[in-house]
Structures are given as structure tokens and as C-alpha cells.
């Protein structure tokens, strides 16, 4: 081996070792790189062997620098490749995480029935998620609110007028019959606007069993109007509106005008029931005990009341078979059997338990305090006005300490007489006390009495 070949061989082995060690090549990789160097130097064999040693040494150094450059370039490329791989793996991992999260969200949304709005979830699943209920427009929301309000109002009116029906017929007369048949005996008559309580129906369903006042019987179904909303509309036309004091109000001023500084006409008590003549936002125009005026609406509660059936006098025996107090017919009595005052008292006591109706004069269907006195005395041939204040001018005045059965005792509401009772003896009385109590037996309140009158 000449000098030139020795130098080539030494340079080749050195470069191979350098590359092998520097690049961390092992085994077949190192052998492959050695072969590459051999090929490199074989190509250089064409160079003249006469090249000086110094030139050969420079060539070796140049070759070694060239290999270092290749190594550095490859190492840099590998680093960039490794970073790209890591970046791709990270991106794949993140994409997988997002896809998983979106899929979970989508599954939860489908499970709960909620609308899925995340674009990534839709993109990942590739399937459109349908919303169970579409988002309502403002107009639809308003319509829904109105429907809810109407339903609540209908429910409240159904409760208010539960089982109430109003008589309406083109004939203007509706009969209550003993049996569910057009041939049944007539027990009472009703006019348009009179009301009944429905308590049952016939087997055919064409007749309703009703109670109106003290009368029970059957009415042709098509002659009655039922339903809370319908009855409420008829109440505006046919029913009378009444007002009374709220439970926590003991006294309320009746004023001449709807103004807190207006003149006080009288004072209403908790047992007074007023007929409402006109209803305003803050004031009610009412009539009570013959006086008209205004009361503050916030201290009262109002209700509507229909008239009820009128029993036929020709049928009084049938109606009174089980209760002698169900008709206005006077009982049989003899003036020679007892004093007239006691007779009047005994007759009046028969109607204890019957209702109080402001402005009423019926001993069975309802009367107010002066209406009750008026009707009782009417049976004995006495004509009295329908007002406690006016009745206080009838007959003759007696001392409150000398009362006898049948005498009348009067009480003031404010500056006016507003209530009357009938003395029955032993410090007791009978009176139409108020809507809450009806016609009752009571104790005479001597300290509050303003006057007493004897009619007989």
C-alpha cells in the first residue's frame, strides 16, 4: 500500500468512526455509512497519485468538515421532524379530547332533551340534534301567557259558582216540578235570572234536580245555564251586588261624597249588608237602611246574589209537609187563646234559622231586620214601612224597662237608627241579625238601645 492509499484508508476509517460515534449509529447503519465513504473515496481514485501530501491532508480535513456539515444538517432535520411529530401527536390528542368532550356533551344533551348549540359537538357527531321544543317567539309567549291567565280565571269562576245554574228561557217562566216530567206537579216558578243549586239529575239526564230557596224539585236541563264564565256574565245582568265590612273592620263611615273629608251620613257595623249601586276603583256607592252614600272599597268585600224561585201558594201543603217554616203562610191561631203580643212572638220564632237578605221581606227565602218585622206584623193585619228608622215612628213609645212580648227595640248606626229587633220576653229577642247569622234568637242589649215602640 503506497502512502496515498494509506492516507485514504486512514481518513475513511476515521470518518466512519466519527460518523458512527457522532450519530450514534450501530450495526448495519454504521456499515452502510462506511460503504458510502468507500464509494466516495473510490471516486477520488481518479485523482492523480502525484498530489502532494499536504494537499492530501487538506483533502482529508475538507472531507471531515464536509461530513460534519452533513451530520449537523441531518441532526437539525431530525430535530425538526421530531418536533413536527410531537406537534402532530399533541394536535391529534387535543382533537380527540375535544371530540370526546363534544360527544359527551351531545349525549348529555340528547339524554336531557335539551337543545345542543355547540358547533364543535355538531361537527364532531356529524348529526343534527333536534330540539324537543322550538324557541317561542315573543308573540307566541304572549299568547301562552294569555291562555294561562284565561285558564286561571275560568278555574276561579268555576269555583265561585260551583253547581250554580241560572234560569234562562224564551218563555221567561221556568217551572220547578216535583218529578222529572213535563206532567209533574209544579212546585215553584222562576223568572229569567233566578238561580238554583244543582244537586243531581234524572236517569235520562234531561232533567236536573235543583234547590232554589226552600224549594227542591226538577227543572228541564235546557232551561238552565251552567258554567262559571257563563254564570258570571249573567250575574252582571241579573244578580244584585252586595257589600259588607271585612272581618277585621268593625265600623265604616258612610259618606255623602267619595272623599275622606266628606260629611259622614252614618256608620256601618260589621253586621250591615249594603246594596251596591255603583262600583268605582276606590269607592262604592251603596244603599243601606234607606241611606245612600259612599264607602271606601278597600275596607269591604263584595259578592253577587241571584234571586231564587218563588213557591206557588197553591202548592204550600206539598212544600211544607216536612217543615212548617218553608212557606209564608200564617199558622192557624185563635186570638182568644193568648195575648196578641205572644201570638206574634210565637209566629216570628217559627222562622229562626232562615236566611238574612238585605232588602228582603220573605220569611222563608230571606229578609233584613225591618223586612222581617214588617212581614211578621203583616200576618196580623198591621202595615209597617220597610225601614227601621221609619218603624221607629210607628205605634207608641215605651220605656225600655217596661217591654212586653212583641215590642220593638231600635238601635242607632252613627247618628241614624239602623237596626230593629222584636222583644220576646225574659231579656230575649228575635231578629234578622245579618248575613252571617240569618234570623236568630238573641239577648237584648239594653245599654245600646235608643228607643222602644209598641205596635199593638
Amino acid at each position: 500500500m503506497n502512502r496515498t492509499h494509506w492516507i485514504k484508508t486512514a481518513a475513511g476509517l476515521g470518518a466512519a468512526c466519527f460518523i458512527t460515534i457522532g450519530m450514534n449509529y450501530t450495526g448495519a447503519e454504521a456499515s452502510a455509512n462506511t460503504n458510502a465513504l468507500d464509494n466516495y473515496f473510490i471516486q477520488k481514485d481518479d485523482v492523480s497519485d502525484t498530489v502532494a501530501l499536504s494537499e492530501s491532508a487538506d483533502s482529508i480535513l475538507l472531507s471531515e468538515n464536509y461530513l460534519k456539515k452533513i451530520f449537523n444538517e441531518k441532526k437539525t432535520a431530525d430535530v425538526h421532524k421530531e418536533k413536527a411529530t410531537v406537534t402532530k401527536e399533541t394536535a391529534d390528542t387535543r382533537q380527540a379530547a375535544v371530540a370526546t368532550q363534544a360527544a359527551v356533551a351531545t349525549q348529555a344533551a340528547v339524554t336531557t332533551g335539551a337543545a345542543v348549540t355547540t358547533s364543535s359537538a355538531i361537527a364532531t357527531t356529524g348529526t343534527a340534534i333536534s330540539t324537543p321544543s322550538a324557541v317561542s317567539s315573543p308573540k307566541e309567549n304572549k299568547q301562552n301567557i294569555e291562555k294561562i291567565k284565561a285558564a286561571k280565571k275560568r278555574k276561579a269562576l268555576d269555583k265561585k259558582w260551583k253547581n250554580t245554574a241560572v234560569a234562562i228561557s224564551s218563555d221567561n217562566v221556568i217551572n220547578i216540578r216535583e218529578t222529572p216530567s213535563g206532567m209533574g206537579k209544579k212546585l215553584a216558578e222562576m223568572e229569567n235570572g233566578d238561580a238554583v243549586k244543582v244537586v243531581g239529575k234524572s236517569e235520562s239526564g234531561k232533567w236536573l234536580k235543583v234547590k232554589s230557596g226552600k224549594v227542591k224539585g226538577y227543572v228541564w236541563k235546557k232551561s238552565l245555564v251552567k258554567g262559571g264564565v257563563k254564570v258570571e256574565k249573567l250575574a252582571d245582568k241579573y244578580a244584585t251586588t252586595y257589600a259588607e265590612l271585612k272581618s277585621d273592620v268593625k265600623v265604616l263611615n258612610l259618606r255623602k261624597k267619595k272623599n275622606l273629608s266628606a260629611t259622614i251620613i252614618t256608620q256601618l257595623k260589621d253586621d250591615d249588608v249594603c246594596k251596591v249601586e255603583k262600583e268605582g276603583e276606590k269607592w262604592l256607592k251603596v244603599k243601606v237602611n234607606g241611606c245612600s252614600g259612599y264607602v271606601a272599597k278597600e275596607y269591604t268585600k263584595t259578592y253577587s246574589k241571584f234571586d231564587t224561585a218563588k213557591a206557588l201558594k197553591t202548592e204550600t201543603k206539598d212544600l211544607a209537609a216536612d217543615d212548617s217554616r218553608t212557606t209564608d203562610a200564617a199558622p192557624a191561631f185563635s186570638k182568644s187563646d193568648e195575648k196578641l203580643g205572644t201570638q206574634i212572638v210565637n209566629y216570628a220564632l217559627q222562622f229562626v234559622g232562615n236566611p238574612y237578605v238585605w232588602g228582603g221581606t220573605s220569611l222563608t227565602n230571606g229578609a233584613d231586620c225591618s223586612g222581617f218585622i214588617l212581614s211578621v206584623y203583616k200576618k196580623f193585619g198591621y202595615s209597617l214601612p220597610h225601614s227601621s228608622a221609619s218603624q221607629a215612628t210607628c205605634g207608641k213609645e215605651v220605656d225600655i224597662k217596661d217591654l212586653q212580648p212583641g215590642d220593638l227595640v231600635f238601635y242607632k248606626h252613627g247618628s241614624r237608627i239602623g237596626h230593629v229587633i222584636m222583644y220576646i220576653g225574659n231579656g230575649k229577642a228575635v231578629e234578622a241579625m245579618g248575613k252571617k247569622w240569618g234570623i236568630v234568637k238573641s239577648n237584648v242589649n239594653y245599654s245600646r238601645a235608643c228607643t222602644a215602640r209598641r205596635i199593638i
Side-chain angles (χ1 to χ4, degrees):
M1 178 183 296
N2 57 31
R3 184 178 181 182
T4 302
H5 286 113
W6 184 86
I7 293 172
K8 290 182 178 179
T9 301
L13 291 174
C17 292
F18 174 78
I19 294 172
T20 301
I21 296 171
M23 291 188 179
N24 198 23
Y25 286 127
T26 59
E29 294 175 336
S31 176
N33 281 284
T34 302
N35 293 333
L37 290 172
D38 288 341
N39 292 333
Y40 172 80
F41 287 113
I42 287 171
Q43 292 175 1
K44 291 295 183 176
D45 286 343
D46 295 335
V47 181
S48 175
D49 291 337
T50 60
V51 176
L53 178 61
S54 59
E55 293 176 346
S56 299
D58 291 340
S59 297
I60 293 172
L61 293 175
L62 289 171
S63 299
E64 189 174 337
N65 290 334
Y66 177 75
L67 291 175
K68 286 183 180 180
K69 179 180 179 182
I70 292 175
F71 165 73
N72 290 332
E73 288 178 351
K74 184 172 181 56
K75 185 175 181 181
T76 302
D78 289 341
V79 170
H80 286 304
K81 183 178 180 181
E82 184 178 357
K83 287 184 178 180
T85 302
V86 172
T87 302
K88 185 175 184 303
E89 289 178 353
T90 303
D92 291 342
T93 303
R94 289 178 179 175
Q95 184 176 2
V98 171
T100 303
Q101 185 176 2
V104 172
T106 303
Q107 183 177 3
V110 173
T111 303
T112 58
V116 177
T117 58
T118 307
S119 58
S120 62
I122 295 175
T124 303
T125 59
T127 305
I129 307 300
S130 59
T131 305
S133 57
V135 178
S136 301
S137 65
K139 183 177 180 180
E140 290 173 337
N141 285 336
K142 186 176 180 180
Q143 291 175 345
N144 290 335
I145 292 173
E146 292 299 325
K147 287 181 180 179
I148 293 172
K149 287 182 179 180
K152 287 183 178 180
K153 182 179 179 180
R154 184 168 57 253
K155 186 176 180 180
L157 291 177
D158 287 340
K159 183 178 180 180
K160 177 181 178 180
W161 298 112
K162 185 179 180 181
N163 298 326
T164 299
V166 181
I168 296 293
S169 172
S170 58
D171 297 332
N172 199 38
V173 176
I174 300 93
N175 296 312
I176 297 180
R177 297 182 180 274
E178 188 176 38
T179 57
S181 168
M183 301 301 291
K185 186 183 296 184
K186 292 182 181 180
L187 301 180
E189 291 182 348
M190 294 187 295
E191 298 178 352
N192 283 338
D194 289 349
V196 301
K197 285 290 183 183
V198 178
V199 296
K201 62 181 180 179
S202 64
E203 292 183 1
S204 66
K206 295 181 179 180
W207 292 78
L208 296 179
K209 188 175 183 180
V210 304
K211 179 181 179 182
S212 184
K214 292 293 182 179
V215 182
K216 288 183 179 180
Y218 291 88
V219 177
W220 180 245
K221 183 178 180 180
K222 292 184 178 180
S223 298
L224 298 174
V225 175
K226 288 187 66 180
V229 175
K230 294 179 180 179
V231 173
E232 181 75 7
K233 290 181 179 178
L234 291 172
D236 294 337
K237 182 176 181 180
Y238 293 106
T240 302
T241 302
Y242 297 96
E244 59 183 23
L245 277 61
K246 289 183 177 179
S247 58
D248 58 342
V249 179
K250 301 302 180 184
V251 178
L252 182 61
N253 294 324
L254 179 69
R255 296 181 181 274
K256 192 172 183 179
K257 297 181 180 179
K258 44 186 178 182
N259 191 307
L260 293 177
S261 61
T263 303
I264 297 175
I265 299 173
T266 186
Q267 288 185 318
L268 306 182
K269 293 172 54 182
D270 57 357
D271 60 346
D272 284 325
V273 178
C274 312
K275 181 180 179 180
V276 178
E277 297 181 330
K278 188 176 181 180
E279 185 172 352
E281 184 178 350
K282 296 183 179 180
W283 294 85
L284 296 176
K285 185 179 181 181
V286 301
K287 186 174 183 180
V288 56
N289 299 325
C291 301
S292 292
Y294 295 89
V295 294
K297 187 176 181 179
E298 63 178 308
Y299 301 112
T300 67
K301 55 183 179 180
T302 60
Y303 60 92
S304 298
K305 191 176 181 68
F306 290 94
D307 289 337
T308 54
K310 298 171 181 63
L312 298 177
K313 292 183 179 180
T314 56
E315 306 295 339
T316 52
K317 284 188 178 180
D318 297 317
L319 292 173
D322 60 346
D323 189 350
S324 62
R325 294 178 292 171
T326 58
T327 73
D328 286 351
F333 66 90
S334 171
K335 291 184 179 181
S336 61
D337 293 338
E338 54 187 346
K339 291 183 178 180
L340 184 56
T342 302
Q343 294 173 14
I344 293 173
V345 166
N346 289 337
Y347 175 65
L349 289 173
Q350 294 181 80
F351 304 101
V352 170
N354 286 349
Y356 175 101
V357 174
W358 187 88
T361 59
S362 173
L363 298 174
T364 57
N365 294 332
D368 58 15
C369 63
S370 59
F372 172 67
I373 299 298
L374 177 156
S375 296
V376 168
Y377 268 93
K378 183 177 180 180
K379 297 301 180 182
F380 295 87
Y382 293 89
S383 180
L384 298 178
H386 191 180
S387 166
S388 56
S390 299
Q391 289 176 2
T393 63
C394 299
K396 60 181 180 180
E397 185 175 8
V398 295
D399 193 291
I400 195 72
K401 296 179 182 179
D402 299 326
L403 294 175
Q404 294 181 7
D407 288 347
L408 306 180
V409 182
F410 297 87
Y411 298 88
K412 282 187 176 182
H413 286 171
S415 59
R416 289 174 55 88
I417 291 176
H419 191 61
V420 58
I421 65 175
M422 180 184 290
Y423 182 73
I424 63 175
N426 299 320
K428 303 290 184 179
V430 61
E431 60 177 310
M433 182 176 284
K435 180 179 176 293
K436 296 179 182 178
W437 305 276
I439 299 173
V440 298
K441 287 177 67 175
S442 60
N443 296 319
V444 176
N445 188 330
Y446 292 96
S447 62
R448 290 187 56 234
C450 62
T451 187
R453 309 292 292 189
R454 185 166 296 155
I455 305 301
I456 58 177

